Amino acid sequence: MIERKKYTDWLIRHRNDQLIKVITGVRRSGKSTLFTLYQEILKKDGVQEDQIIHLNFEDLRYYDLRDFLKLNEYILERTNEKQDYYLFFDEIQNVTKFEEVVNSLNLQKNIDIYVTGSNAFFMSGEFATLLTGRHADLEVLPLSFKEFQSQYSQLSLADTYERYKHTAFPRLVSEESVQERNDYIRSTYNDIVLKDIVQRYKITEQDILERVLQFIASSVGSEVSINRINNFLKDEKVAKSNNTVERYVDAFVNGLIIYKVPRYNIKGRQILQRLEKYYLVDLGFRELLLPLSGGDEGHILENIIYLELRRRYVKVYVGKNDKTEVDFVCIDPENHQVYYQVALQTLDEKVLARELRSLEAIDDMYPKYLLTLDTINKNANYNGIIKKNVLDWLMEEGE
């Protein structure tokens, strides 16, 4: 198992804090493995096997426990007030009225609860209302570049990057067979679409749903509107209403397969309500959906950087500053802004001037970075704008 120290450290910090630990992430991003890693830490700290109860509600052995009353009874039969217990519930959204049993069990001071879900639905509605102020949230993404590189320490960072940009799913980190990799990603994709989207949204036109995602995958890093997607569907002779298209996009966002990134007005310090950008949770889905699309290295790099910024910062936006744009505006834990511009290379002086222009137009004193794959003059300071090599930056600890 690959060590995921940032996540296990978070779990350790929240141990026995009377908060329900809610771990979300796309299917197969490593949530269950994270539980296993954390349980090993607990055992090394003296926690006994019978103090740990781990149930995966996609496992048919626990099918009966999808009834919240039966689950409550099951837990009460296996716990007492004399010692601490650690409850791990995978895919808790499969339990009817799960919010009631989780909330009830959390009233017991000697029970520490950890739950996972593979979509954003289960944290909506009644669950979120019941748990207001009583839960801590952790998002688990596929492997960071640094986690991925830990398995390829014999390779250069550049060679590792060539592997990393195809997929970051933990299961595939050492997979050499392209066919096996593609089969796994297709299986993961089908699980998300069929289990988390089609069934929940009762979608009957799966082919049109997939075309919407294909358009988004081909537009990574570009501004996207519902009208633009529908114009694409019109060209494909399968136009739908804007409401339907928006519903399909929301389904993919809630299925955690894509992220919608709002634009942020830097001068006005407000979120703009249209022309968002979208990024994929894993680039393997892009190769699956667009097998003949070619490299498009700039947008691949931008997607990788977005995911890393999402790991490091509280919020990530696309920046708008009068007539210029900044690739990313990030909000750190102190509510300060940090700006990032991304470029494949800036050895051409005109390219460098263009990329710096967006950052130079910002008149505040917050940090500004230019990230590139340049290996010549890879680190520089342009009047306070710090240039960094992307691969070196990806290996940093982050926020």
Short mmCIF file of all heavy atoms in Angstrom, two decimals, residues 153-213:
data_model
loop_
_atom_site.label_atom_id
_atom_site.label_comp_id
_atom_site.label_asym_id
_atom_site.label_seq_id
_atom_site.Cartn_x
_atom_site.Cartn_y
_atom_site.Cartn_z
N SER A 153 11.14 5.86 -7.72
CA SER A 153 12.30 6.65 -7.29
C SER A 153 13.52 6.42 -8.18
O SER A 153 14.44 7.24 -8.20
CB SER A 153 12.65 6.31 -5.83
OG SER A 153 12.86 4.92 -5.69
N GLN A 154 13.52 5.32 -8.96
CA GLN A 154 14.65 5.06 -9.85
C GLN A 154 14.57 5.86 -11.14
O GLN A 154 15.54 5.95 -11.89
CB GLN A 154 14.72 3.55 -10.19
CG GLN A 154 13.70 3.06 -11.22
CD GLN A 154 12.31 2.84 -10.64
OE1 GLN A 154 12.04 3.19 -9.50
NE2 GLN A 154 11.44 2.21 -11.43
N LEU A 155 13.42 6.49 -11.40
CA LEU A 155 13.24 7.27 -12.62
C LEU A 155 13.44 8.75 -12.37
O LEU A 155 13.30 9.23 -11.24
CB LEU A 155 11.82 7.05 -13.17
CG LEU A 155 11.42 5.65 -13.62
CD1 LEU A 155 9.99 5.67 -14.16
CD2 LEU A 155 12.37 5.12 -14.69
N SER A 156 13.76 9.48 -13.42
CA SER A 156 13.82 10.94 -13.32
C SER A 156 12.40 11.47 -13.14
O SER A 156 11.41 10.79 -13.45
CB SER A 156 14.43 11.54 -14.59
OG SER A 156 13.55 11.36 -15.69
N LEU A 157 12.30 12.70 -12.65
CA LEU A 157 10.98 13.30 -12.50
C LEU A 157 10.27 13.42 -13.84
O LEU A 157 9.05 13.22 -13.93
CB LEU A 157 11.09 14.68 -11.84
CG LEU A 157 11.59 14.72 -10.39
CD1 LEU A 157 11.55 16.16 -9.87
CD2 LEU A 157 10.78 13.80 -9.50
N ALA A 158 11.03 13.72 -14.90
CA ALA A 158 10.43 13.85 -16.23
C ALA A 158 9.86 12.53 -16.71
O ALA A 158 8.76 12.49 -17.28
CB ALA A 158 11.47 14.38 -17.22
N ASP A 159 10.57 11.43 -16.48
CA ASP A 159 10.06 10.12 -16.89
C ASP A 159 8.85 9.71 -16.06
O ASP A 159 7.90 9.11 -16.57
CB ASP A 159 11.17 9.06 -16.76
CG ASP A 159 12.24 9.21 -17.84
OD1 ASP A 159 11.95 9.83 -18.88
OD2 ASP A 159 13.36 8.71 -17.62
N THR A 160 8.89 10.04 -14.77
CA THR A 160 7.73 9.75 -13.92
C THR A 160 6.51 10.52 -14.39
O THR A 160 5.39 9.99 -14.43
CB THR A 160 8.04 10.11 -12.45
OG1 THR A 160 9.19 9.40 -12.01
CG2 THR A 160 6.86 9.75 -11.55
N TYR A 161 6.71 11.78 -14.77
CA TYR A 161 5.61 12.61 -15.26
C TYR A 161 4.97 12.00 -16.50
O TYR A 161 3.73 12.04 -16.66
CB TYR A 161 6.12 14.02 -15.56
CG TYR A 161 5.07 14.94 -16.12
CD1 TYR A 161 4.10 15.52 -15.30
CD2 TYR A 161 5.03 15.24 -17.48
CE1 TYR A 161 3.13 16.37 -15.81
CE2 TYR A 161 4.06 16.08 -18.01
CZ TYR A 161 3.12 16.65 -17.17
OH TYR A 161 2.16 17.48 -17.68
N GLU A 162 5.77 11.42 -17.38
CA GLU A 162 5.23 10.80 -18.60
C GLU A 162 4.26 9.67 -18.25
O GLU A 162 3.30 9.43 -18.97
CB GLU A 162 6.36 10.29 -19.48
CG GLU A 162 7.15 11.38 -20.17
CD GLU A 162 6.27 12.28 -21.03
OE1 GLU A 162 5.50 11.76 -21.85
OE2 GLU A 162 6.36 13.52 -20.86
N ARG A 163 4.51 8.98 -17.15
CA ARG A 163 3.59 7.94 -16.70
C ARG A 163 2.39 8.55 -15.97
O ARG A 163 1.25 8.14 -16.17
CB ARG A 163 4.31 6.96 -15.75
CG ARG A 163 5.36 6.08 -16.42
CD ARG A 163 6.12 5.27 -15.38
NE ARG A 163 7.08 4.37 -15.99
CZ ARG A 163 6.93 3.05 -16.10
NH1 ARG A 163 5.84 2.48 -15.63
NH2 ARG A 163 7.86 2.30 -16.66
N TYR A 164 2.68 9.54 -15.16
CA TYR A 164 1.66 10.12 -14.29
C TYR A 164 0.54 10.78 -15.07
O TYR A 164 -0.62 10.74 -14.65
CB TYR A 164 2.33 11.14 -13.37
CG TYR A 164 1.42 11.81 -12.36
CD1 TYR A 164 0.91 11.10 -11.28
CD2 TYR A 164 1.10 13.16 -12.48
CE1 TYR A 164 0.10 11.71 -10.35
CE2 TYR A 164 0.29 13.79 -11.55
CZ TYR A 164 -0.22 13.05 -10.48
OH TYR A 164 -1.04 13.66 -9.55
N LYS A 165 0.86 11.37 -16.20
CA LYS A 165 -0.16 12.13 -16.94
C LYS A 165 -1.20 11.23 -17.60
O LYS A 165 -2.19 11.73 -18.13
CB LYS A 165 0.49 13.05 -17.96
CG LYS A 165 1.17 12.35 -19.12
CD LYS A 165 1.88 13.38 -19.99
CE LYS A 165 2.51 12.73 -21.22
NZ LYS A 165 3.24 13.70 -22.05
N HIS A 166 -1.00 9.91 -17.56
CA HIS A 166 -2.00 8.98 -18.11
C HIS A 166 -3.08 8.64 -17.08
O HIS A 166 -4.25 8.52 -17.41
CB HIS A 166 -1.33 7.70 -18.61
CG HIS A 166 -0.45 7.93 -19.80
ND1 HIS A 166 -0.93 8.28 -21.04
CD2 HIS A 166 0.90 7.87 -19.93
CE1 HIS A 166 0.07 8.42 -21.88
NE2 HIS A 166 1.20 8.18 -21.24
N THR A 167 -2.69 8.46 -15.84
CA THR A 167 -3.64 8.17 -14.76
C THR A 167 -2.92 8.21 -13.43
O THR A 167 -1.71 7.97 -13.35
CB THR A 167 -4.32 6.80 -14.93
OG1 THR A 167 -5.28 6.60 -13.88
CG2 THR A 167 -3.31 5.66 -14.87
N ALA A 168 -3.69 8.53 -12.37
CA ALA A 168 -3.11 8.57 -11.02
C ALA A 168 -3.88 7.66 -10.06
O ALA A 168 -3.71 7.77 -8.85
CB ALA A 168 -3.11 10.00 -10.50
N PHE A 169 -4.71 6.76 -10.59
CA PHE A 169 -5.41 5.83 -9.70
C PHE A 169 -4.39 4.93 -9.00
O PHE A 169 -3.49 4.38 -9.65
CB PHE A 169 -6.41 4.98 -10.47
CG PHE A 169 -7.70 5.69 -10.75
CD1 PHE A 169 -8.11 5.94 -12.05
CD2 PHE A 169 -8.53 6.09 -9.71
CE1 PHE A 169 -9.31 6.60 -12.31
CE2 PHE A 169 -9.73 6.74 -9.95
CZ PHE A 169 -10.11 7.00 -11.25
N PRO A 170 -4.50 4.78 -7.67
CA PRO A 170 -3.50 4.00 -6.92
C PRO A 170 -3.29 2.58 -7.45
O PRO A 170 -2.16 2.10 -7.51
CB PRO A 170 -4.07 3.99 -5.49
CG PRO A 170 -4.89 5.23 -5.41
CD PRO A 170 -5.49 5.41 -6.77
N ARG A 171 -4.37 1.93 -7.85
CA ARG A 171 -4.28 0.54 -8.31
C ARG A 171 -3.39 0.42 -9.56
O ARG A 171 -2.83 -0.65 -9.82
CB ARG A 171 -5.69 0.03 -8.59
CG ARG A 171 -5.82 -1.23 -9.42
CD ARG A 171 -5.27 -2.46 -8.72
NE ARG A 171 -5.50 -3.64 -9.52
CZ ARG A 171 -4.80 -3.97 -10.62
NH1 ARG A 171 -3.81 -3.18 -11.03
NH2 ARG A 171 -5.07 -5.06 -11.29
N LEU A 172 -3.25 1.49 -10.33
CA LEU A 172 -2.56 1.42 -11.61
C LEU A 172 -1.13 1.94 -11.54
O LEU A 172 -0.46 2.04 -12.57
CB LEU A 172 -3.34 2.21 -12.66
CG LEU A 172 -4.75 1.69 -12.96
CD1 LEU A 172 -5.45 2.60 -13.95
CD2 LEU A 172 -4.70 0.26 -13.49
N VAL A 173 -0.65 2.28 -10.36
CA VAL A 173 0.64 2.94 -10.25
C VAL A 173 1.77 2.08 -10.81
O VAL A 173 2.73 2.60 -11.38
CB VAL A 173 0.93 3.34 -8.78
CG1 VAL A 173 1.14 2.12 -7.91
CG2 VAL A 173 2.11 4.28 -8.71
N SER A 174 1.67 0.75 -10.69
CA SER A 174 2.72 -0.13 -11.19
C SER A 174 2.27 -0.96 -12.38
O SER A 174 2.96 -1.91 -12.78
CB SER A 174 3.22 -1.06 -10.07
OG SER A 174 3.73 -0.31 -8.99
N GLU A 175 1.12 -0.63 -12.96
CA GLU A 175 0.58 -1.40 -14.06
C GLU A 175 1.30 -1.05 -15.36
O GLU A 175 1.29 0.09 -15.81
CB GLU A 175 -0.93 -1.13 -14.22
CG GLU A 175 -1.60 -1.94 -15.31
CD GLU A 175 -1.42 -3.43 -15.12
OE1 GLU A 175 -1.97 -3.98 -14.13
OE2 GLU A 175 -0.70 -4.04 -15.95
N GLU A 176 1.93 -2.04 -15.97
CA GLU A 176 2.68 -1.81 -17.21
C GLU A 176 1.83 -2.04 -18.45
O GLU A 176 2.12 -1.49 -19.51
CB GLU A 176 3.92 -2.73 -17.25
CG GLU A 176 4.92 -2.50 -16.13
CD GLU A 176 5.61 -1.14 -16.24
OE1 GLU A 176 5.65 -0.59 -17.36
OE2 GLU A 176 6.09 -0.63 -15.22
N SER A 177 0.80 -2.84 -18.34
CA SER A 177 -0.03 -3.18 -19.50
C SER A 177 -1.02 -2.07 -19.80
O SER A 177 -1.86 -1.73 -18.96
CB SER A 177 -0.79 -4.49 -19.25
OG SER A 177 -1.80 -4.68 -20.22
N VAL A 178 -0.94 -1.51 -21.01
CA VAL A 178 -1.88 -0.46 -21.41
C VAL A 178 -3.30 -1.01 -21.44
O VAL A 178 -4.25 -0.34 -21.04
CB VAL A 178 -1.48 0.11 -22.79
CG1 VAL A 178 -2.53 1.09 -23.29
CG2 VAL A 178 -0.13 0.79 -22.70
N GLN A 179 -3.46 -2.25 -21.88
CA GLN A 179 -4.80 -2.85 -21.94
C GLN A 179 -5.40 -3.02 -20.56
O GLN A 179 -6.58 -2.70 -20.34
CB GLN A 179 -4.72 -4.21 -22.64
CG GLN A 179 -6.09 -4.87 -22.86
CD GLN A 179 -6.99 -4.04 -23.75
OE1 GLN A 179 -6.58 -3.66 -24.85
NE2 GLN A 179 -8.20 -3.75 -23.30
N GLU A 180 -4.60 -3.48 -19.60
CA GLU A 180 -5.09 -3.63 -18.23
C GLU A 180 -5.47 -2.28 -17.64
O GLU A 180 -6.48 -2.14 -16.95
CB GLU A 180 -4.02 -4.30 -17.36
CG GLU A 180 -3.78 -5.77 -17.68
CD GLU A 180 -4.98 -6.64 -17.33
OE1 GLU A 180 -5.71 -6.31 -16.38
OE2 GLU A 180 -5.19 -7.65 -18.03
N ARG A 181 -4.65 -1.28 -17.93
CA ARG A 181 -4.94 0.06 -17.43
C ARG A 181 -6.25 0.59 -18.01
O ARG A 181 -7.10 1.12 -17.29
CB ARG A 181 -3.78 1.00 -17.81
CG ARG A 181 -3.90 2.40 -17.23
CD ARG A 181 -2.73 3.25 -17.68
NE ARG A 181 -2.86 3.63 -19.08
CZ ARG A 181 -1.85 3.99 -19.86
NH1 ARG A 181 -0.62 3.97 -19.39
NH2 ARG A 181 -2.06 4.34 -21.11
N ASN A 182 -6.41 0.42 -19.32
CA ASN A 182 -7.63 0.89 -19.97
C ASN A 182 -8.87 0.16 -19.46
O ASN A 182 -9.93 0.76 -19.26
CB ASN A 182 -7.52 0.73 -21.48
CG ASN A 182 -6.51 1.67 -22.09
OD1 ASN A 182 -6.08 2.64 -21.45
ND2 ASN A 182 -6.10 1.41 -23.32
N ASP A 183 -8.74 -1.15 -19.24
CA ASP A 183 -9.87 -1.94 -18.73
C ASP A 183 -10.28 -1.46 -17.34
O ASP A 183 -11.47 -1.37 -17.02
CB ASP A 183 -9.52 -3.43 -18.70
CG ASP A 183 -9.44 -4.06 -20.08
OD1 ASP A 183 -9.91 -3.42 -21.05
OD2 ASP A 183 -8.91 -5.18 -20.20
N TYR A 184 -9.29 -1.17 -16.52
CA TYR A 184 -9.58 -0.72 -15.14
C TYR A 184 -10.28 0.64 -15.16
O TYR A 184 -11.25 0.85 -14.42
CB TYR A 184 -8.27 -0.64 -14.36
CG TYR A 184 -8.44 -0.25 -12.90
CD1 TYR A 184 -8.70 -1.20 -11.93
CD2 TYR A 184 -8.32 1.08 -12.51
CE1 TYR A 184 -8.84 -0.85 -10.59
CE2 TYR A 184 -8.47 1.45 -11.17
CZ TYR A 184 -8.72 0.47 -10.23
OH TYR A 184 -8.88 0.84 -8.91
N ILE A 185 -9.78 1.54 -15.98
CA ILE A 185 -10.40 2.87 -16.05
C ILE A 185 -11.81 2.78 -16.61
O ILE A 185 -12.72 3.46 -16.13
CB ILE A 185 -9.50 3.82 -16.88
CG1 ILE A 185 -8.20 4.08 -16.12
CG2 ILE A 185 -10.23 5.14 -17.17
CD1 ILE A 185 -7.15 4.83 -16.92
N ARG A 186 -12.00 1.94 -17.62
CA ARG A 186 -13.35 1.74 -18.16
C ARG A 186 -14.28 1.18 -17.10
O ARG A 186 -15.42 1.62 -16.96
CB ARG A 186 -13.27 0.81 -19.38
CG ARG A 186 -14.62 0.24 -19.83
CD ARG A 186 -15.61 1.30 -20.26
NE ARG A 186 -15.28 1.93 -21.52
CZ ARG A 186 -16.02 2.85 -22.10
NH1 ARG A 186 -17.14 3.27 -21.51
NH2 ARG A 186 -15.65 3.41 -23.24
N SER A 187 -13.81 0.22 -16.32
CA SER A 187 -14.62 -0.36 -15.25
C SER A 187 -14.97 0.69 -14.20
O SER A 187 -16.12 0.77 -13.73
CB SER A 187 -13.87 -1.53 -14.60
OG SER A 187 -14.52 -1.99 -13.44
N THR A 188 -14.00 1.51 -13.83
CA THR A 188 -14.24 2.59 -12.86
C THR A 188 -15.26 3.58 -13.40
O THR A 188 -16.18 3.99 -12.69
CB THR A 188 -12.92 3.32 -12.53
OG1 THR A 188 -11.95 2.37 -12.07
CG2 THR A 188 -13.13 4.39 -11.46
N TYR A 189 -15.08 3.96 -14.64
CA TYR A 189 -16.00 4.89 -15.30
C TYR A 189 -17.43 4.33 -15.32
O TYR A 189 -18.39 5.03 -15.00
CB TYR A 189 -15.51 5.17 -16.72
CG TYR A 189 -16.46 5.97 -17.56
CD1 TYR A 189 -16.52 7.36 -17.45
CD2 TYR A 189 -17.30 5.35 -18.48
CE1 TYR A 189 -17.38 8.11 -18.23
CE2 TYR A 189 -18.17 6.09 -19.27
CZ TYR A 189 -18.21 7.46 -19.14
OH TYR A 189 -19.08 8.19 -19.91
N ASN A 190 -17.56 3.06 -15.67
CA ASN A 190 -18.89 2.45 -15.71
C ASN A 190 -19.54 2.41 -14.33
O ASN A 190 -20.75 2.63 -14.20
CB ASN A 190 -18.80 1.03 -16.28
CG ASN A 190 -18.57 1.03 -17.78
OD1 ASN A 190 -18.85 2.02 -18.46
ND2 ASN A 190 -18.05 -0.07 -18.31
N ASP A 191 -18.74 2.14 -13.31
CA ASP A 191 -19.28 2.15 -11.94
C ASP A 191 -19.84 3.52 -11.59
O ASP A 191 -20.92 3.64 -11.01
CB ASP A 191 -18.18 1.78 -10.94
CG ASP A 191 -18.04 0.27 -10.77
OD1 ASP A 191 -18.88 -0.46 -11.33
OD2 ASP A 191 -17.11 -0.16 -10.08
N ILE A 192 -19.10 4.56 -11.92
CA ILE A 192 -19.54 5.92 -11.59
C ILE A 192 -20.80 6.26 -12.37
O ILE A 192 -21.80 6.74 -11.81
CB ILE A 192 -18.43 6.94 -11.89
CG1 ILE A 192 -17.21 6.69 -11.00
CG2 ILE A 192 -18.94 8.36 -11.69
CD1 ILE A 192 -15.98 7.46 -11.43
N VAL A 193 -20.77 6.03 -13.67
CA VAL A 193 -21.89 6.43 -14.52
C VAL A 193 -23.14 5.62 -14.20
O VAL A 193 -24.24 6.17 -14.05
CB VAL A 193 -21.51 6.30 -16.01
CG1 VAL A 193 -22.72 6.51 -16.90
CG2 VAL A 193 -20.43 7.32 -16.36
N LEU A 194 -22.98 4.30 -14.06
CA LEU A 194 -24.16 3.45 -13.87
C LEU A 194 -24.68 3.50 -12.44
O LEU A 194 -25.89 3.59 -12.22
CB LEU A 194 -23.83 2.01 -14.26
CG LEU A 194 -23.50 1.79 -15.74
CD1 LEU A 194 -23.11 0.34 -16.00
CD2 LEU A 194 -24.68 2.18 -16.62
N LYS A 195 -23.79 3.45 -11.45
CA LYS A 195 -24.23 3.38 -10.06
C LYS A 195 -24.56 4.74 -9.47
O LYS A 195 -25.52 4.90 -8.71
CB LYS A 195 -23.16 2.69 -9.20
CG LYS A 195 -22.97 1.22 -9.50
CD LYS A 195 -21.93 0.61 -8.58
CE LYS A 195 -21.72 -0.87 -8.87
NZ LYS A 195 -20.69 -1.46 -7.99
N ASP A 196 -23.74 5.74 -9.79
CA ASP A 196 -23.87 7.03 -9.11
C ASP A 196 -24.62 8.07 -9.92
O ASP A 196 -25.02 9.09 -9.37
CB ASP A 196 -22.48 7.58 -8.76
CG ASP A 196 -21.74 6.70 -7.78
OD1 ASP A 196 -22.41 5.99 -7.02
OD2 ASP A 196 -20.50 6.71 -7.79
N ILE A 197 -24.78 7.84 -11.21
CA ILE A 197 -25.40 8.88 -12.04
C ILE A 197 -26.68 8.40 -12.72
O ILE A 197 -27.76 8.94 -12.48
CB ILE A 197 -24.38 9.40 -13.09
CG1 ILE A 197 -23.22 10.11 -12.37
CG2 ILE A 197 -25.06 10.34 -14.09
CD1 ILE A 197 -22.11 10.58 -13.29
N VAL A 198 -26.57 7.38 -13.56
CA VAL A 198 -27.74 6.94 -14.34
C VAL A 198 -28.87 6.50 -13.44
O VAL A 198 -30.03 6.90 -13.63
CB VAL A 198 -27.34 5.81 -15.31
CG1 VAL A 198 -28.58 5.18 -15.94
CG2 VAL A 198 -26.42 6.35 -16.41
N GLN A 199 -28.57 5.69 -12.44
CA GLN A 199 -29.63 5.19 -11.55
C GLN A 199 -30.24 6.32 -10.73
O GLN A 199 -31.46 6.44 -10.63
CB GLN A 199 -29.09 4.10 -10.63
CG GLN A 199 -28.75 2.80 -11.35
CD GLN A 199 -28.24 1.73 -10.40
OE1 GLN A 199 -28.41 1.82 -9.19
NE2 GLN A 199 -27.59 0.72 -10.95
N ARG A 200 -29.39 7.16 -10.17
CA ARG A 200 -29.91 8.21 -9.30
C ARG A 200 -30.72 9.23 -10.07
O ARG A 200 -31.76 9.68 -9.62
CB ARG A 200 -28.76 8.90 -8.58
CG ARG A 200 -29.25 9.99 -7.62
CD ARG A 200 -28.14 10.63 -6.82
NE ARG A 200 -28.67 11.58 -5.88
CZ ARG A 200 -29.09 11.31 -4.65
NH1 ARG A 200 -29.02 10.07 -4.21
NH2 ARG A 200 -29.58 12.26 -3.86
N TYR A 201 -30.23 9.62 -11.25
CA TYR A 201 -30.91 10.63 -12.04
C TYR A 201 -31.96 10.05 -12.99
O TYR A 201 -32.63 10.79 -13.71
CB TYR A 201 -29.89 11.43 -12.85
CG TYR A 201 -29.19 12.51 -12.05
CD1 TYR A 201 -28.10 12.21 -11.24
CD2 TYR A 201 -29.60 13.83 -12.11
CE1 TYR A 201 -27.45 13.20 -10.51
CE2 TYR A 201 -28.97 14.83 -11.40
CZ TYR A 201 -27.90 14.51 -10.59
OH TYR A 201 -27.25 15.49 -9.87
N LYS A 202 -32.04 8.71 -13.01
CA LYS A 202 -33.01 8.02 -13.88
C LYS A 202 -32.85 8.48 -15.34
O LYS A 202 -33.81 8.84 -16.02
CB LYS A 202 -34.45 8.27 -13.40
CG LYS A 202 -34.71 7.71 -12.00
CD LYS A 202 -36.14 7.96 -11.55
CE LYS A 202 -36.46 7.24 -10.26
NZ LYS A 202 -35.57 7.61 -9.14
N ILE A 203 -31.61 8.45 -15.80
CA ILE A 203 -31.29 8.88 -17.16
C ILE A 203 -31.45 7.71 -18.12
O ILE A 203 -30.91 6.62 -17.90
CB ILE A 203 -29.85 9.44 -17.22
CG1 ILE A 203 -29.78 10.73 -16.41
CG2 ILE A 203 -29.40 9.68 -18.66
CD1 ILE A 203 -28.39 11.27 -16.21
N THR A 204 -32.19 7.93 -19.18
CA THR A 204 -32.46 6.86 -20.16
C THR A 204 -31.59 7.00 -21.41
O THR A 204 -31.42 6.03 -22.15
CB THR A 204 -33.94 6.87 -20.59
OG1 THR A 204 -34.27 8.17 -21.11
CG2 THR A 204 -34.85 6.56 -19.40
N GLU A 205 -31.03 8.18 -21.64
CA GLU A 205 -30.23 8.41 -22.85
C GLU A 205 -28.75 8.50 -22.46
O GLU A 205 -28.14 9.56 -22.47
CB GLU A 205 -30.68 9.70 -23.55
CG GLU A 205 -32.12 9.61 -24.03
CD GLU A 205 -32.63 10.93 -24.57
OE1 GLU A 205 -32.50 11.95 -23.86
OE2 GLU A 205 -33.14 10.95 -25.70
N GLN A 206 -28.20 7.34 -22.14
CA GLN A 206 -26.83 7.32 -21.64
C GLN A 206 -25.84 7.78 -22.70
O GLN A 206 -24.80 8.37 -22.38
CB GLN A 206 -26.47 5.91 -21.16
CG GLN A 206 -25.10 5.83 -20.47
CD GLN A 206 -24.79 4.45 -19.94
OE1 GLN A 206 -25.70 3.69 -19.62
NE2 GLN A 206 -23.52 4.11 -19.89
N ASP A 207 -26.15 7.53 -23.98
CA ASP A 207 -25.22 7.95 -25.03
C ASP A 207 -25.09 9.47 -25.10
O ASP A 207 -23.99 10.00 -25.29
CB ASP A 207 -25.68 7.40 -26.39
CG ASP A 207 -27.09 7.87 -26.77
OD1 ASP A 207 -27.91 8.08 -25.85
OD2 ASP A 207 -27.35 8.04 -27.97
N ILE A 208 -26.20 10.20 -24.89
CA ILE A 208 -26.15 11.66 -24.90
C ILE A 208 -25.43 12.16 -23.65
O ILE A 208 -24.64 13.11 -23.70
CB ILE A 208 -27.56 12.26 -25.00
CG1 ILE A 208 -28.22 11.80 -26.30
CG2 ILE A 208 -27.51 13.78 -24.92
CD1 ILE A 208 -29.65 12.28 -26.47
N LEU A 209 -25.70 11.51 -22.53
CA LEU A 209 -24.99 11.84 -21.29
C LEU A 209 -23.48 11.76 -21.51
O LEU A 209 -22.73 12.65 -21.12
CB LEU A 209 -25.42 10.87 -20.19
CG LEU A 209 -24.74 11.03 -18.83
CD1 LEU A 209 -25.33 12.22 -18.07
CD2 LEU A 209 -24.91 9.74 -18.00
N GLU A 210 -23.04 10.69 -22.16
CA GLU A 210 -21.61 10.50 -22.38
C GLU A 210 -21.05 11.54 -23.35
O GLU A 210 -19.91 12.00 -23.20
CB GLU A 210 -21.34 9.10 -22.92
CG GLU A 210 -19.86 8.78 -23.05
CD GLU A 210 -19.58 7.31 -23.17
OE1 GLU A 210 -19.53 6.62 -22.15
OE2 GLU A 210 -19.42 6.85 -24.32
N ARG A 211 -21.84 11.97 -24.32
CA ARG A 211 -21.36 12.99 -25.26
C ARG A 211 -21.13 14.32 -24.54
O ARG A 211 -20.21 15.07 -24.89
CB ARG A 211 -22.36 13.18 -26.40
CG ARG A 211 -22.43 11.99 -27.35
CD ARG A 211 -23.21 12.32 -28.59
NE ARG A 211 -23.68 11.10 -29.24
CZ ARG A 211 -24.15 11.06 -30.48
NH1 ARG A 211 -24.22 12.16 -31.20
NH2 ARG A 211 -24.55 9.93 -31.02
N VAL A 212 -21.97 14.61 -23.55
CA VAL A 212 -21.77 15.82 -22.76
C VAL A 212 -20.41 15.75 -22.05
O VAL A 212 -19.64 16.73 -22.05
CB VAL A 212 -22.90 16.00 -21.73
CG1 VAL A 212 -22.57 17.12 -20.74
CG2 VAL A 212 -24.22 16.30 -22.45
N LEU A 213 -20.10 14.60 -21.47
CA LEU A 213 -18.82 14.46 -20.77
C LEU A 213 -17.66 14.50 -21.75
O LEU A 213 -16.59 15.04 -21.44
CB LEU A 213 -18.79 13.15 -19.97
CG LEU A 213 -17.57 12.95 -19.08
CD1 LEU A 213 -17.42 14.09 -18.08
CD2 LEU A 213 -17.64 11.62 -18.34
#
